[in-house]
Every structure is written in structure tokens, then in C-alpha cells.
């Protein structure tokens, strides 16, 4: 069936850089608000203006290249990509063509079985973002907001190394993760901060030649990217199986219907007439600059993953989750180091904390990681029970107060005082003489009942191990009576 | 290498322009004259000279990543033939997408 065929996929990923100002002018890159308030003669494409490149945009691009093991070229050239579209006021986009900032490099993806695959990159270049278009369904106009126009974009182009929607998903997640670690992109896909074009063809498995590819343009949701690839793969297989030919076409994903639709044929395809941008001279990136940037690189996801496994001895699955975002990984490390209980720290971060951050952002959570570390220390030292610890944590989430303070105020400290527990045990046994007799005559299942009673009397605060031992001793004492 | 009417049509389509037959005749003759003039450059001997994109050997200057105030919305829109709610208004575009590629 479908399994005789496989998809061959290459991606062009666009990442909006998180610079303060645009790539060629001083306008702000902020998101939202009124339309056309962050514009100037340069990004509006007025005649006679000159672009001047934002140094930080170049630096962010170098970071991405170094993080993906590509080669930064000492010299690169900006080029004009000419096409007419109302979201592009100049009539061309300043991009790079024959001489991009970088070529080569690779990203390692890992599937859920832990198998690794190396996805080669063909190039990374820098270009400018276009404006935003709005369409009304009922009237004959389109509307343009140029606030976005001129935000720096890094474009990452892969070799056709991906074979499934799952691999494409893993690749994009990895790029997003790396960009987030590097702190060069907000990573906010809903705001379009990461988008991609998908080149996809199908071929018989084992066939060395690739089929003719189609391109799906402008996807900005990981979920839809998966769906669009699966739909397009199946539809290409159907065409081939029914004796048809795929022609080189550009498609659009229609989310409402769940299909890819023809946007333009090869004959209608644009001729961009690239030529060197005369307003910008060659971009020089010296080896010294590259080395300076290299020194600022943070620990990257793969490195952090290996170190966590080595240093904390926690399961690979946990490490995968904990290092999925840099903020989460940093949070975990503080908890683990303060508590000196990596496994317990990992459980608490992955279960209790993750439940809380599902609804908010980790940076907005009120529980400081060192406070969670203290809470875990208290559990490990037997100062409070795990059950009370959950109540304390809920209080920490609500108020941001520290664990010790809450435990003191709420009287949640675990009871480890032998005399105190003995007193409660005796009271429970005295109040249940009939059950005690039954127990002593062999109904041993009643032990759990006594245990539960003691825990209830102490509001769950008695140290379970101690209760167990004292209860056993007390029952044995009553055997002779 | 002289241009033909097909070239004129292609360039016009890319530029989203429409011409009358009269305009096309004039454009064809003008453009061919410009090309003939450019062909004189072909006669220069460039043996042993590397391909270059810019005649200066300078590198492009950098700008620090500092936000500067640009135009007000009112000024930004002031040249536009049609606006609404702070947006530029243009004839409806068929493709339901942004263009960034
Ligand atoms: Zn501007």
C-alpha cells in the first residue's frame, strides 16, 4: 500500500530575530498594537533612502550558524529579490542569493525510540521580513500593516534529508529549541516568529532518484505542518499510483478543509531576477568576530542533555523533558543543586511544576527554584511528608512564600517525635479494643486500619516509617496482656 | 541580442503593468537602444579580472541595534491614495497569503 512509497522532504525555515530594531532601520520590532506605527522612510521603501545593517542581526545569525556547525563565510553579499506584492513596499526584498552568510552544518534529531538522525543544512542566510496583509472576504480590498516589514529573518535551508512528517516536526522543534537556547528568537509560532516552506516529493522506497517536488508555502504551526505533509504525501502517492505525473507546483495549506491547494503552477512561477544589492557593500565577518561570538554561546541542547545524564544520573526521558527548554533546564538545575536530590527534583519539576506551567509561563511562576529545592530537602530529611509537601507547594504557587515559612505557619512539620507518636498509637489502640483482639487472634489485615487511624489523628504528618515500627511494637506488647 | 515582444510581455507581467500596442512598440525600441548601448561595455577586455559585485572594496558599515522613532501613523499613511483604520488599502490580492519566501 502506501508503505511502498516514502516522502522526501526539505525545509526552508524562517526565524524572526529578536533584535530591538529592524534589520536596515531603527524602527522597533515589537509585536502588536496599532498598525503602521513602527515604520520610517527606509522600511516604507521611500525613494532615496539607504539601508544600514543592524550589527546584532548579523551576530545572531553567526550564533545560529555556530550552533548548527556550519561555516561562516568571511564575505557575503546581499541581493535583491524582485517581485511585486503589496506587503513589500520596495518591490524587492533584500536577501542573499549566491553568497549567503553560511553554508553547511547539520542538526541532529532524535525520535521517541532514541534513534538519532543527522539532517544536513545547505545554507543559512539573512534577509528582511515583509509586511502583513489582511483580506476581507466580502469586499474588493486588501489591507496592509507594515510594522513587521524589515524585521530581520534568518533563513535555514535543509538538504532533502527528511523522510516523514514526524522527522520534519522533530527538526523544527529542534531548530526552535536551539533558537530559544541562543536567545535569538521569541519562538512564538502563533505570532509567526518561526515559519517554514516545505518542499516535498515522493518516491518508491529504495529508489535513488527523487521525484518532482511540490512546495507548500508559509506554515507556522507544528501541528498543521505535520498534517499538511501527510496530506500532500498521500495525495502525491495517489496521483502516481493512478498513472499521473507530479508537476512542480506551489501549494497552500487550507486548514479549514484540511487539504493543500494549488497556488501557482511552474509556468506562473515568479522570476525573481536576483542581482547584488547596490545599496549595501559586501558583508565582512572577520575570524576574530566569529571567535568573539563563539565565546558567548550558551551550553546547547545536545551538550546540556549529555551533561545532565552524566551529572545527575536521571533517566534519559526525564533529561529530554527537562532540557526541552533552557528556562526549564536552568530551573531544574537550581532545584537539584539546592536539594542535592536530583531524582526527587526531577520528579517534582516534571510533575508538580510542569502541571502549573502548562497554564502559564515558567518565568511567571511564583515559586523560586531555590525554594522548591528547600522543600525537597525537607521531604528528603523527613521533616514533612510527601502529602503535606504537595499542600505546601500549592501554597507556594499561590503566594510565592518560601517552604519553611509555610510549614512553620501551617504546622505541617512531619512528626518524628517518638513519644508523640507512641501517645497517638496507644490512643488509637485503646479506642479500638475489639479490633485489637481480632488482630491478635490472626486477623492481620487490620494492621492497615490501625495505621490509617494513626495517620488520620496526626493529619498525615506522622513519619510513616516510625508509625509502622511503633504500631508493631505496641501491638506485640498487648499480645501478652 | 535584441528583445522581442515576448520579453516585453514577460517583464510587464512581472511588473504587473499593462500596455497598449503603441506603448509596447515604443518600449521595445527604447529598451533595445539601451541594450545596444550596454553592449559597448562587452568590448572591454576583462581578461584576468575577478568577478565583482561592487566596485569599492569597502565593507558595508554597521548600525548598532538601537530603536529610533520613525514616522507617525498619520505621516506614514499620508501619501497613500486609500487608507482605513490605520491601514494601507489596495485592490484585493488573489493569493490569500503573505509573500515572504
Ligand atoms: Zn523603519
Amino acid at each position: 500500500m502506501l508503505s511502498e512509497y516514502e516522502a522526501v522532504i526539505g525545509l526552508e525555515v524562517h526565524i524572526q530575530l529578536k533584535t530591538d530594531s529592524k534589520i536596515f532601520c531603527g524602527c522597533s520590532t515589537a509585536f502588536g498594537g496599532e498598525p503602521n506605527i513602527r515604520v520610517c522612510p527606509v522600511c516604507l521603501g521611500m525613494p532615496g533612502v539607504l539601508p544600514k545593517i543592524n550589527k546584532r542581526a548579523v551576530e545572531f545569525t553567526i550564533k545560529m550558524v555556530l550552533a548548527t556547525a556550519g561555516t561562516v563565510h568571511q564575505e557575503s553579499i546581499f541581493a535583491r529579490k524582485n517581485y511585486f506584492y503589496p506587503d513589500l513596499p520596495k518591490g524587492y526584498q533584500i536577501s542573499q542569493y549566491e553568497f549567503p552568510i553560511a553554508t553547511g552544518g547539520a542538526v541532529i534529531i532524535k525520535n521517541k525510540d532514541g534513534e538519532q538522525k543527522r539532517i544536513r543544512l545547505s545554507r543559512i542566510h539573512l534577509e528582511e521580513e515583509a509586511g502583513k496583509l489582511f483580506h476581507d472576504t466580502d469586499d474588493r480590498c486588501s489591507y496592509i500593516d507594515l510594522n513587521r516589514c524589515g524585521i530581520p529573518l534568518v533563513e535555514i535551508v535543509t538538504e532533502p534529508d527528511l523522510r516523514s512528517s514526524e522527522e520534519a516536526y522533530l527538526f523544527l522543534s529542534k531548530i526552535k529549541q536551539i533558537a530559544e537556547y541562543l536567545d535569538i528568537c521569541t519562538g512564538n509560532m502563533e505570532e509567526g516568529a518561526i515559519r517554514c516552506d516545505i518542499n516535498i516529493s515522493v518516491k518508491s522506497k529504495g529508489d535513488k532518484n527523487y521525484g518532482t517536488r511540490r512546495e507548500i508555502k508559509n506554515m507556522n504551526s507544528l501541528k498543521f505542518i505535520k498534517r499538511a505533509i501527510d496530506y500532500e504525501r498521500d495525495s502525491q502517492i495517489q496521483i502516481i499510483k493512478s498513472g499521473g505525473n507530479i508537476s512542480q507546483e506551489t501549494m497552500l495549506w487550507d486548514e479549514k478543509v484540511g487539504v493543500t491547494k494549488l497556488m501557482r503552477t511552474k509556468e506562473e512561477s515568479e522570476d525573481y531576477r536576483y542581482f547584488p544589492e547596490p545599496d549595501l557593500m559586501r558583508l565582512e565577518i572577520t575570524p576574530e568576530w566569529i571567535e568573539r561570538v563563539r565565546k558567548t554561546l550558551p551550553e546547547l541542547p545536545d551538550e546540556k542533555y549529555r551533561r545532565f545524564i552524566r551529572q545527575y544520573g536521571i533517566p534519559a526521558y526525564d533529561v529530554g523533558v527537562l532540557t526541552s527548554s533552557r528556562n526549564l533546564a536552568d530551573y531544574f538545575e537550581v532545584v537539584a543543586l539546592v536539594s542535592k536530590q536530583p531524582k526527587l527534583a526531577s520528579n517534582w519539576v516534571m510533575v508538580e511544576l510542569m502541571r502549573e506551567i502548562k497554564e502559564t509561563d515558567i518565568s511567571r511562576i511564583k515559586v523560586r527554584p531555590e525554594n522548591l529545592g528547600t522543600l525537597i530537602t525537607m521531604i528528603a530529611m523527613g521533616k514533612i511528608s510527601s502529602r503535606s509537601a504537595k499542600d505546601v507547594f500549592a501554597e507556594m504557587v499561590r503566594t510565592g512564600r518560601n517552604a519553611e515559612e509555610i510549614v512553620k505557619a501551617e504546622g505541617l512539620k512531619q512528626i518524628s517525635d517518638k513519644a508523640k507518636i507512641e501517645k497517638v498509637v496507644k490512643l488509637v489502640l485503646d479506642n479500638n479494643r475489639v479490633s485489637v483482639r481480632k488482630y491478635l487472634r490472626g486477623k492481620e489485615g487490620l494492621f492497615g486500619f490501625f495505621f490509617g487511624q494513626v495517620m488520620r489523628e496526626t493529619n498525615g504528618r506522622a513519619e510513616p516509617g516510625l508509625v509502622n515500627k511503633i504500631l508493631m511494637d505496641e501491638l506485640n506488647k498487648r499480645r501478652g496482656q | 541580442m535584441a528583445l522581442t515582444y515576448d520579453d516585453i510581455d514577460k517583464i510587464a507581467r512581472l511588473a504587473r503593468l499593462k500596455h497598449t500596442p503603441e506603448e509596447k512598440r515604443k518600449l521595445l525600441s527604447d529598451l533595445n537602444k539601451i541594450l545596444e548601448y550596454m553592449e559597448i561595455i562587452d568590448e572591454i577586455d576583462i581578461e584576468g579580472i575577478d568577478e565583482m559585485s561592487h566596485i569599492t572594496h569597502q565593507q558595508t558599515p554597521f548600525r548598532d541595534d538601537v530603536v529610533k522613532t520613525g514616522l507617525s501613523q498619520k505621516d506614514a499613511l499620508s501619501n497613500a491614495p486609500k487608507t482605513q483604520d490605520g491601514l494601507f488599502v489596495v485592490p484585493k490580492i488573489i493569493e490569500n497569503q503573505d509573500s515572504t519566501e
Side-chain angles (χ1 to χ4, degrees), chain B residues 1-27:
Chain B
M1 191 194 69
L3 293 177
T4 65
Y5 279 112
D6 283 348
D7 296 318
I8 300 288
D9 286 342
K10 186 187 170 196
I11 298 164
R13 183 176 66 78
L14 290 169
R16 309 287 189 266
L17 294 174
K18 267 196 187 122
H19 300 102
T20 62
E22 181 53 39
E23 285 169 332
K24 278 193 205 173
R25 258 196 303 279
K26 188 167 180 337
L27 274 171

Side-chain angles (χ1 to χ4, degrees), chain A residues 64-104:
Chain A
M64 193 69 211
V65 177
L66 295 178
T68 51
T71 307
V72 179
H73 297 297
Q74 205 166 326
E75 258 189 54
S76 66
I77 305 274
F78 284 95
R80 285 191 184 178
K81 180 178 182 178
N82 300 280
Y83 63 96
F84 280 95
Y85 211 68
D87 59 9
L88 192 72
K90 292 195 295 294
Y92 57 85
Q93 178 193 28
I94 303 181
S95 178
Q96 295 191 300
Y97 188 52
E98 288 170 286
F99 305 101
I101 287 186
T103 49

Side-chain angles (χ1 to χ4, degrees), chain A residues 99-148:
Chain A
F99 305 101
I101 287 186
T103 49
V107 167
I108 310 290
I109 57 170
K110 203 182 304 158
N111 70 14
K112 51 184 179 302
D113 302 322
E115 284 165 36
Q116 295 195 349
K117 183 167 174 183
R118 192 167 172 271
I119 309 302
R120 292 167 304 151
L121 306 183
S122 80
R123 59 186 278 151
I124 293 181
H125 74 244
L126 186 55
E127 60 184 31
E128 61 179 340
E129 176 77 283
K132 192 135 187 54
L133 271 177
F134 304 91
H135 309 276
D136 249 359
T137 38
D138 48 350
D139 79 333
R140 284 174 304 188
C141 295
S142 293
Y143 304 86
I144 312 162
D145 171 11
L146 295 175
N147 281 340
R148 200 181 71 173

Side-chain angles (χ1 to χ4, degrees), chain A residues 3 61 87 94 138 177 206 246 306 313 343 371 378 425 447:
Chain A
S3 58
T61 311
D87 59 9
I94 303 181
D138 48 350
Q177 187 191 23
I246 307 290
R306 287 192 291 269
K343 182 61 198 153
N371 286 343
M378 292 168 84
V425 167
F447 187 84

Side-chain angles (χ1 to χ4, degrees), chain A residues 22 25 27 39-40 43:
Chain A
K22 292 183 179 180
C25 62
C27 294
V39 290
C40 74
C43 54

Side-chain angles (χ1 to χ4, degrees), chain A residues 21-22 26 136 272 282, chain B residues 54 57 63 65 68 92 101:
Chain A
S21 65
K22 292 183 179 180
D136 249 359
Y272 295 119
R282 66 190 170 81
Chain B
H54 298 79
H57 292 280
R63 186 175 60 76
D65 185 23
K68 282 195 184 138
K92 183 149 186 163
E101 322 201 340

